[in-house]
Amino acid sequence: METDPEAEREASRLKGIAETKFKNSNLKSALKHAKKAQRLAPSLEGLSSMVTAFKILRVASKSKEWYQILQVEPFSHINTIKKQYKKLALILHPDKNPHSGSEEAFKLVGEAFRVLSDKVRRKEYDMRLRIKIQDEKVALDDNDDGFAGKETFWTACSRCRLLHQFERKYLDQILVCPGCKMSFEAVEAKESNVVRVFRSGRLSEKMGSADLKTKMGNVGLKRKTVSGDTKMKGSAGSGVDGESGDSRKEMGGGRGDWGGGRLRRRTSSVGEVLARSKPKLVEDREESMTLAEMQLEAKRRANQAKLKFKLKEKEMEKRGKKEKKREKEIERHRALKNKDLEVEGQQAAERIVDLENENGVLAKKIVDLRTKKRRTVKKTEDLQIVRQETLKKSVDLVIERHKTSKTKDLEIMAVEDSDFYDFDRDRMERSFKKGQVWAIYDDDDGMPRHYGLIDEVSVNPFEVKISWLDLQSNGDEGLICWEKQGFHVSCGRFKVSRKTSIDSLNIFSHIVECERAAREVYRIFPTKGSVWALYNEAALGIEGSNLSARDRRSYDIVVLLTTYSEMHGLSMAYLEKVDGFKAVFKRREIGCHAIRWLEKDDVRLFSHQIPARKLTGDEIPDSLKDCWELDPASLPSDLLTIGWGS
């Protein structure tokens, strides 16, 4: 159903007026305007929650009736209260409803739920509420008496002994008791002949009339007001309707209840009878007392007053002693607590001094470590600069040789042909792609120990732009000493450095398997199945210590059985040359004893990777099965001699 635009505008105006009235603390007027706006446009945003909030605040402004604040019936079940609380909390939550009065109403709803969800607090509140409702109904009955202007009489049931009031027209009739529902004869109990005595909250009555004693069977009477229509029965059994014969009202079902106004009024009449009878008895007793008895009575009363005064003084004295003792205990505890706090403060101050001393020592150590680190970094940077300059000179020399003399170039790069596989097919112009890492021959002995990252490729004419990859030593003294001795490290983390352009294929060996560790950092380590040249440890030992680095480059050829792991290192097996072939190698030994483990710190022993292919196929002789053919361009010249072997 679409809302009339004019009605919606009027509702918005009334909503604004309601907010203004609320801000001016005129809650009644604010609620009035909000209700008018809701009648005009019930679907207006925030209006329903505003009316709900104003209603709750209106109820709270009069008196904090928690049931009315939660908008449930008095004495409702706890499940009903929980359900209503969740509903109101969802409507009035300040995060979902920022309109006027929502926050205050939300707090009131929360407080009401806390009271009514607590069993003890709710029990006390319900008791006060019942008393209040009862008092209101008593006051209402006082203002509107059911027997106003009618003649009544009092009678008592001979069975349950309850006292009832009826209209006089039902006197001496057979009536039904509203309490026990039994028949009894309505005989008038005259108040002038009645002496009422209260025992344990029950009203016992002794009738003064002899006829009443006979008819009621000398039973004590209790007084009670009853309600509802009472059926009357005559002596012949005919029913008579008691239209207003009973004055008792059901709680919540009328204006009166069991504690109605008539009971209070009639109880006061019983008090008046007792009040009238008591002074007469006291006067008769005082008149019959002699002067001596009166003096004794006055003395007794004076002694009682003195005794009460002494007891009160003793009680006050005991209370004062207890208060003084309590104050002394408090002072003693306070002094002990202050003493403990002082000791703890001294200990804390000592700990602070110790910590400051420790911090000073640590700060000095940190300064020393930073100084040492700066020196190491400086050494590393100097070494990197020297290495880059050496590499640059080496590469420039190779390129210059290629440009100046083709014949000389062929002489430098001339290698033996392989026995089976043509490794030059893997380094043609079409093999180069951007992002690849290639191994580049070293100008020192022609082994592929350097690495370059391909940035751009041009096929016709062939030209590639590369970025050299330099080793990251990270201050490792072992690696720095290794390079100072003239040995190149081919495994580790390499960082992109300077760029250059190359137009010759002959300086490239093979594509390198690597892992990109960061934006310009690459990890290059041996992988399973690859073949590498390993520096011979005997040549590196004491026997070869007097040789130059170049003369000490004696190699062992190994195949990797596992990929390198920074935790466990790697495993490998040695290869040996097959007799009668230039570059065909086989396992030197087979079995567990032929496997060697290399720790992670010993990967510096690897000189360079050698491109290799495992021999398979029908054209391969059976004797060469499970053998490897290695690229002759990556093998030392002393290993290319036919007939070398074990």
Side-chain angles (χ1 to χ4, degrees), residues 173-185:
Q173 300 288 335
I174 302 300
L175 307 180
V176 175
C177 175
C180 63
K181 306 300 181 184
M182 301 297 290
S183 300
F184 73 99
E185 185 178 357

Side-chain angles (χ1 to χ4, degrees), residues 197-333:
V197 181
F198 289 87
R199 293 194 186 96
S200 302
R202 298 179 62 186
L203 179 64
S204 300
E205 300 183 356
K206 294 184 179 180
M207 311 303 293
S209 172
D211 296 335
L212 187 60
K213 288 181 181 179
T214 304
K215 292 181 178 180
M216 302 306 296
N218 293 326
V219 295
L221 300 177
K222 291 191 294 182
R223 182 174 182 173
K224 182 180 179 183
T225 57
V226 294
S227 66
D229 295 335
T230 305
K231 293 182 179 180
M232 313 287 182
K233 293 184 180 180
S235 58
S238 61
V240 181
D241 293 337
E243 297 175 355
S244 60
D246 196 342
S247 62
R248 185 172 177 266
K249 310 290 183 181
E250 293 289 340
M251 179 179 287
R255 296 170 298 181
D257 60 354
W258 58 271
R262 287 181 296 281
L263 175 59
R264 179 174 294 180
R265 190 163 54 253
R266 287 157 201 149
T267 304
S268 64
S269 66
V270 173
E272 290 174 1
V273 172
L274 292 174
R276 287 196 298 269
S277 61
K278 187 174 181 179
K280 292 180 179 180
L281 294 173
V282 173
E283 290 175 1
D284 293 341
R285 185 180 176 186
E286 288 180 352
E287 289 177 357
S288 60
M289 289 175 65
T290 62
L291 181 59
E293 289 175 347
M294 292 176 67
Q295 289 176 350
L296 288 174
E297 182 68 19
K299 192 174 182 179
R300 184 181 63 80
R301 290 179 181 177
N303 290 334
Q304 287 180 351
K306 287 181 181 180
L307 183 60
K308 287 181 180 179
F309 182 73
K310 287 181 180 180
L311 291 174
K312 191 173 182 180
E313 281 185 345
K314 288 182 180 180
E315 186 68 25
M316 293 294 290
E317 187 178 353
K318 288 181 181 179
R319 192 177 299 174
K321 288 181 179 179
K322 287 182 180 179
E323 290 293 332
K324 288 181 180 179
K325 187 176 180 181
R326 185 181 176 187
E327 289 177 359
K328 288 181 180 179
E329 287 291 329
I330 292 172
E331 288 295 332
R332 188 173 65 83
H333 284 297

Side-chain angles (χ1 to χ4, degrees), residues 574-578 584-588 626-628:
Y574 287 97
L575 299 181
E576 63 181 6
K577 191 174 179 182
V578 178
V584 178
F585 286 75
K586 65 179 181 179
R587 288 279 296 272
R588 183 184 300 176
D626 296 329
C627 293
W628 288 266

Side-chain angles (χ1 to χ4, degrees), residues 547-614:
L547 301 174
S548 64
R550 184 165 185 170
D551 295 335
R552 282 187 288 167
R553 286 176 183 168
S554 177
Y555 305 102
D556 291 324
I557 310 302
V558 297
V559 60
L560 276 298
L561 303 179
T562 58
T563 300
Y564 171 78
S565 168
E566 291 185 355
M567 182 178 294
H568 305 292
L570 52 81
S571 63
M572 62 185 185
Y574 287 97
L575 299 181
E576 63 181 6
K577 191 174 179 182
V578 178
D579 293 337
F581 296 94
K582 298 175 185 178
V584 178
F585 286 75
K586 65 179 181 179
R587 288 279 296 272
R588 183 184 300 176
E589 295 178 316
I590 304 295
C592 298
H593 62 280
I595 299 174
R596 179 188 172 185
W597 279 94
L598 203 64
E599 299 295 333
K600 64 175 183 177
D601 294 331
D602 294 333
V603 292
R604 70 186 70 172
L605 295 174
F606 286 103
S607 170
H608 60 277
Q609 183 180 358
I610 303 173
R613 292 184 66 88
K614 197 166 186 178

